[in-house]
Amino acid sequence: MTEQLQTFAIYVGLNGLILLWLMTEVGLVRGSVKVSIGDGGSFELIRVMRGQANFVETVPYCLLILLGMALMGAPVWVIHLFALPLTISRILHGLHFAGRGPAVFRAIGAGVTMLVLLVGSIGVILHAVL
């Protein structure tokens, strides 16, 4: 296995743990509001569900971009440059949706994820065609 793929694998694992944490948060809130299916109109449950859903909607594609970087032989530092901010920002984003962080954590999480998606997408396209 190449060093690039090993680096990528670390971030896949870390983000998998973040998803597990978000899933646990949803389960805990479901138990506290006694809603097993749907959101039951609970604002707290809707909030944690959206935090988990946003992660699932965005992070896998960012990880695909990182995989593309790794497979194309990007330097390990470049993979870290994209993956570390993504991972940290997703923790901050999750903290906000779990009710443990200010709204700025949500903005940082969304903004950094969008930046990774934008710059990473352009980067892998350019690397592939040049």
Side-chain angles (χ1 to χ4, degrees):
M1 181 182 311
T2 67
E3 190 176 3
Q4 290 92 341
L5 287 175
Q6 288 173 318
T7 303
F8 167 71
I10 290 167
Y11 289 104
V12 169
L14 289 172
N15 280 276
L17 293 174
I18 295 168
L19 177 57
L20 183 62
W21 161 55
L22 295 172
M23 292 169 66
T24 301
E25 291 289 336
V26 171
L28 290 171
V29 173
R30 280 190 181 288
S32 73
V33 299
K34 297 181 180 14
V35 175
S36 63
I37 305 232
D39 59 41
S42 164
F43 175 77
E44 183 182 12
L45 183 54
I46 292 168
R47 186 186 70 232
V48 295
M49 286 173 63
R50 279 306 312 149
Q52 178 191 358
N54 184 272
F55 185 95
V56 171
E57 291 162 359
T58 58
V59 173
Y61 203 85
C62 289
L63 291 174
L64 282 174
I65 290 168
L66 294 170
L67 178 59
M69 290 177 182
L71 291 173
M72 288 190 284
V76 169
W77 69 266
V78 171
I79 296 169
H80 284 297
L81 182 69
F82 284 85
L84 186 60
L86 172 70
T87 303
I88 292 169
S89 72
R90 297 318 299 187
I91 292 169
L92 294 176
H93 193 266
L95 285 170
H96 168 73
F97 278 93
R100 294 190 196 92
V104 70
F105 283 10
R106 178 183 184 187
I108 292 168
V112 171
T113 302
M114 290 172 67
L115 189 61
V116 167
L117 191 56
L118 173 65
V119 178
S121 294
I122 292 168
V124 295
I125 290 168
L126 290 176
H127 189 77
V129 299
L130 297 179

